[in-house]
Amino acid sequence: MRIIETRRAPNPRRVRIFLAEKGIQVPFEEVDLMAGALKTPEFSALNPMQRVPVLILDDGTVISESVAICRYFEELQPQPALFGEGAVGQAMVEMWNRRVELGLFAAVTAAFRHLHPKMSHLEVPQVAAWGEANKAKVVDMLRLLDGELAARPFLAGHHYSIADITALVAVDFLKAARLELPEGVANVARWHAEVSARPSAAA
Ligand SMILES: N[C@@H](CCC(=O)N[C@@H](CS)C(=O)NCC(=O)O)C(=O)O
């Protein structure tokens, strides 16, 4: 099997961190999304959404979407459980991962894609007003998460999970979007320092 990625892009990083937490090694193949590598007929045949990461299994099965790829590996190797354990634990991870994906990661990504000049050939049309509007959404969501992280070490409870991975990648992607952590989110800062110190964060 192999994973096609662009190393500096945030979604492939989610999968790399997930695999590092599991201790699973998979060969990665680099393509340059900025140079149009995802727009070719060959890549589009693998993933019609023209996005990385893409996992290709030895039998030719193609799995894209970062969370789908991570779920595949969770099923292959359940421990450490990064999608939660038990009915409640799994539901909590699903809930927080979706909230972070839709409320934070998507907003940071929109700010980046709609405002960064380098993205003008990939984000068509680039709507600057939408990028600007998402900056406030990012701040609101970080403040919400700050309140949550006052009460527990990790986003979905007492165990590190894919929700933390998604949030870590989203927070680190603030820099590319030319944003910063706002004032007054000390709990997010504490959590960010802790998850960044895990060896997987460097994957
Ligand atoms: N929902 C997808 C999103 C994948 C995605 O947006 N990947 C970005 C890189 S982080 C990409 O391939 N962008 C290519 C483009 O915008 O043309 C996932 O979770 O894998």
Side-chain angles (χ1 to χ4, degrees):
M1 71 171 72
R2 70 191 206 276
I3 294 174
I4 302 177
E5 71 158 347
T6 298
R7 188 168 173 84
R8 67 177 183 273
N11 280 289
R13 185 176 177 224
R14 289 205 281 170
V15 172
R16 289 200 309 275
I17 294 174
F18 188 93
L19 291 173
E21 288 284 338
K22 292 269 184 196
I24 298 174
Q25 297 201 335
V26 177
F28 280 83
E29 180 183 318
E30 176 76 10
V31 294
D32 187 353
L33 71 84
M34 297 300 283
L38 313 189
K39 309 290 186 199
T40 63
E42 293 76 21
F43 189 86
S44 302
L46 292 174
N47 181 5
M49 300 299 287
Q50 302 181 326
R51 294 285 195 272
V52 284
V54 170
L55 167 66
I56 304 175
L57 303 184
D58 291 341
D59 70 357
T61 303
V62 179
I63 303 173
S64 57
E65 294 299 326
S66 305
V67 175
I69 294 170
C70 292
R71 279 198 183 279
Y72 172 78
F73 287 110
E74 180 93 345
E75 189 67 23
L76 282 189
Q77 184 186 304
Q79 295 298 328
L82 298 175
F83 279 92
E85 286 191 289
V88 171
Q90 289 187 18
M92 288 295 155
V93 171
E94 184 74 29
M95 178 174 81
W96 280 107
N97 193 48
R98 288 183 71 82
R99 284 174 169 173
V100 170
E101 266 196 320
L102 298 171
L104 181 64
F105 194 20
V108 179
T109 300
F112 171 70
R113 294 183 68 104
H114 286 275
L115 289 170
H116 203 296
K118 280 189 181 168
M119 292 305 290
S120 61
H121 69 300
L122 291 180
E123 190 61 49
V124 181
Q126 211 177 23
V127 183
W130 179 236
E132 289 295 340
N134 272 278
K135 290 183 179 179
K137 294 175 191 289
V138 169
V139 173
D140 288 350
M141 190 63 183
L142 285 168
R143 295 224 160 99
L144 184 153
L145 295 179
D146 194 69
E148 298 294 322
L149 286 166
R152 54 185 185 272
F154 299 110
L155 279 170
H158 289 279
H159 301 284
Y160 180 91
S161 76
I162 190 168
D164 298 291
I165 295 174
T166 302
L168 169 62
V169 169
V171 168
D172 286 348
F173 202 49
L174 288 172
K175 191 174 173 192
R178 298 170 175 168
L179 297 171
E180 291 177 354
L181 273 188
E183 295 291 313
V185 293
N187 298 308
V188 169
R190 181 270 306 158
W191 160 88
H192 182 253
E194 286 174 13
V195 294
S196 298
R198 297 170 79 96
S200 63

